[in-house]
Amino acid sequence: MTDDSKPAEVNWSELRPQLIKIALELGPLLIFFFVNGTSDIFTATAWFMGAMVVSLALSWLLLKKIAIMPLVTGIVVLVFGTLTLLLKDDMFIKMKPTIVNTLFGVTLLGGLAFGQSLLKYVFGDVYKLKPEGWRKLTVNWGLFFLFLAIANEVVWRLFDTDTWVAFKVWGIMPITIVFSMLQLPLLTRYAPDPKQPIDPIPPLDPLP
């Protein structure tokens, strides 16, 4: 008689890359949050830029690749961070999430206008969906990115810097995780085999 209650063993070979990815994404944000709390937004921005460079380098060394979204985000961080430090105006670093999220949202939705679901190129090796599924998933994520852009604009323009930093670090991640979990029914409905269990799609938000 077999013991079906025995917990499944953790597959660390599959889990390790995901843990590294999460750590590399959260690391720069946590540094940004803590330095801003002990110093000011300009010092935090300088540390943030350095942490992003280290994060991208570690991603290449440990995972042997740099995903397109973190790469684009890193470039924008360096550009807007440099403007922030040179001009002593924190507006630039605060607008960075707006620019990045708008860019990704418009790119995803614009791709659909040309009959292309760009998400399929990102997750096509992991998920197998019917064309209608890829289209709906792309629409959902495109609109979600635009929502994040609007939310960032509202928070940084109406609240103080500390509130914006806290929202950026502690607000965006939970919102993104909940949203990605809500996509699970869609992933199941449009899978070639709807009865086969499907893991939720990893959060797409370019966190930093």
Side-chain angles (χ1 to χ4, degrees):
M1 181 177 178
T2 59
D3 183 7
D4 294 334
S5 63
K6 183 179 180 180
E9 294 184 1
V10 177
N11 189 335
W12 290 106
S13 62
E14 294 182 359
L15 187 59
R16 179 175 173 271
Q18 291 300 322
L19 293 175
I20 292 175
K21 179 176 178 292
I22 292 173
L24 293 178
E25 289 180 348
L26 286 180
L29 280 174
L30 292 176
I31 290 173
F32 185 58
F33 176 77
F34 287 116
V35 175
N36 179 74
T38 57
S39 183
D40 57 41
I41 187 67
F42 300 106
T43 303
T45 297
W47 277 84
F48 189 35
M49 294 167 63
M52 280 297 301
V53 173
V54 172
S55 175
L56 292 174
L58 288 175
S59 178
W60 177 258
L61 291 173
L62 298 176
L63 303 177
K64 307 304 180 185
K65 66 177 181 179
I66 300 177
I68 183 63
M69 299 180 78
L71 179 60
V72 171
T73 301
I75 292 173
V76 176
V77 165
L78 294 178
V79 171
F80 280 74
T82 299
L83 290 173
T84 297
L85 298 178
L86 290 178
L87 301 178
K88 291 297 181 182
D89 189 342
D90 60 7
M91 175 191 72
F92 295 101
I93 197 64
K94 290 178 178 178
M95 287 185 64
K96 190 278 304 177
T98 302
I99 300 298
V100 171
N101 286 308
T102 299
L103 174 64
F104 285 120
V106 170
T107 299
L108 289 177
L109 297 177
L112 290 178
F114 294 93
Q116 297 293 323
S117 173
L118 299 180
L119 277 188
K120 186 176 181 180
Y121 293 100
V122 178
F123 290 109
D125 293 335
V126 180
Y127 297 99
K128 303 301 179 184
L129 298 178
K130 299 174 182 177
E132 182 67 7
W134 283 118
R135 188 187 70 80
K136 290 186 176 182
L137 193 65
T138 301
V139 169
N140 290 352
W141 275 102
L143 293 176
F144 181 68
F145 278 128
L146 295 181
F147 161 77
L148 291 179
I150 294 172
N152 182 73
E153 283 294 294
V154 170
V155 173
W156 87 260
R157 290 182 184 275
L158 298 184
F159 298 91
D160 60 25
T161 296
D162 289 342
T163 300
W164 172 76
V165 172
F167 173 74
K168 177 179 172 62
V169 178
W170 306 115
I172 295 299
M173 171 62 92
I175 292 172
T176 303
I177 290 176
V178 170
F179 175 79
S180 74
M181 294 296 293
L182 291 175
Q183 306 312 302
L184 185 56
L186 188 153
L187 292 172
T188 302
R189 185 181 310 121
Y190 290 99
D193 183 5
K195 296 182 180 180
Q196 182 70 23
I198 296 179
D199 294 328
I201 199 167
L204 284 175
D205 178 48
L207 288 175

